[in-house]
Amino acid sequence: MTGAAIPTLAWPPDEDRVEEIFERLSRVMPEPKTELNFSNPYTLVVAVALSAQATDVSVNKATDRLFAAADTPAKMLALGEEGLVPYIASIGLYRGKAKNVIALSRIVMEQHGGEVPLTREALQALPGVGRKTASVVLNELGIEAAIAVDTHVFRVSHRLGLANAGTPDKVEAQLFRVVPEAFLPKAHHWLILHGRYTCTARKPNCLGCIISDLCPSRAGLVAMGEAR
């Protein structure tokens, strides 16, 4: 979870520095979005559930074909678990994920009239949908300003001194305390995309980073030869 060279920094961070961090990120990524392909709330839930311990690229390759055949819970149930497996066999843990997708599709049909429930409690009651998946869905659909803490968000938050807690749930709570309210709706996307393409686990691109002068970890990363 931690990635490379995550320092232990004083917390909470300076408010003006945090404000400037998100101001700059908002300028270069004014409309950040998930990189998972989806066409409706149901396909979003399925895509996010499939993305656990898998890359968005690998999930998109699988769901491009899958969603052409089954983009509703009714169609997914018609496909069945064995019919679903060939579409997602290239994704890690595909057997368990296939079982969960069919189970959640059945619940959506039987308990929610075929429409994905869009409350946190109801989403997290679906098989294979934990807090992080529910947060991604609610945030992407503009329902809740949620911050799903994956490995990228965890790493970037620590390097920037936005958080210093040791678990994703605690980091999430810290981020909600320090991220300015105006930036909360898109904070998840900014942090994850910054971690995916700039502040990578190995060899972060500090020279090309628009917030490197605001990063308390830069000097240490450079000194240890872990940045470029």
Side-chain angles (χ1 to χ4, degrees):
M1 173 62 73
T2 58
I6 292 181
T8 299
L9 300 170
W11 192 89
D14 177 75
E15 292 181 5
D16 290 339
R17 183 174 68 85
V18 176
E19 180 94 23
E20 181 63 21
I21 285 172
F22 285 99
E23 179 63 39
R24 293 187 194 178
L25 291 174
S26 72
R27 289 201 298 267
V28 297
M29 293 183 281
E31 295 298 332
K33 298 182 182 299
T34 181
E35 294 186 319
L36 290 170
N37 295 334
F38 71 98
S39 58
N40 54 46
Y42 173 73
T43 54
L44 175 60
V45 170
V46 172
V48 178
L50 292 176
S51 71
Q53 299 184 50
T55 66
D56 288 1
V57 171
S58 68
V59 173
N60 286 338
K61 287 181 179 178
T63 58
D64 280 350
R65 293 178 56 247
L66 172 61
F67 293 156
D71 60 354
T72 68
K75 292 178 182 178
M76 194 69 74
L77 287 175
L79 198 60
E81 188 174 332
E82 290 308 310
L84 169 58
V85 164
Y87 287 98
I88 64 171
S90 59
I91 302 174
L93 307 175
Y94 69 91
R95 284 286 179 185
K97 290 177 180 179
K99 182 177 181 180
N100 284 335
V101 167
I102 295 302
L104 74 82
S105 299
R106 183 170 291 110
I107 290 174
V108 169
M109 286 297 297
E110 294 177 354
Q111 298 182 21
H112 303 285
E115 298 293 329
V116 170
L118 296 177
T119 65
R120 178 174 291 280
E121 182 180 13
L123 279 171
Q124 290 185 204
L126 297 175
V129 179
R131 180 174 180 81
K132 186 170 72 174
T133 296
S135 291
V136 171
V137 171
L138 293 170
N139 187 77
E140 184 64 29
L141 296 177
I143 296 168
E144 181 182 317
I147 300 177
V149 179
D150 67 353
T151 55
H152 298 301
V153 175
F154 191 93
R155 178 180 66 255
V156 171
S157 298
H158 278 78
R159 284 181 177 170
L160 289 173
L162 301 177
N164 63 3
T167 67
D169 286 351
K170 290 180 179 179
V171 167
E172 178 185 351
Q174 288 186 320
L175 288 172
F176 267 99
R177 285 182 59 186
V178 303
V179 176
E181 185 175 356
F183 295 116
L184 273 175
K186 298 176 182 178
H188 162 74
H189 287 308
W190 286 322
L191 293 173
I192 194 172
L193 293 172
H194 189 66
R196 185 172 290 166
Y197 297 111
T198 302
C199 193
T200 52
R202 297 181 180 179
K203 293 294 182 182
N205 185 15
C206 292
L207 292 178
C209 176
I210 64 164
I211 54 175
S212 63
D213 60 311
L214 301 170
C215 179
S217 303
R218 179 183 179 180
L221 289 167
V222 172
M224 290 185 289
E226 297 191 1
R228 53 188 169 90

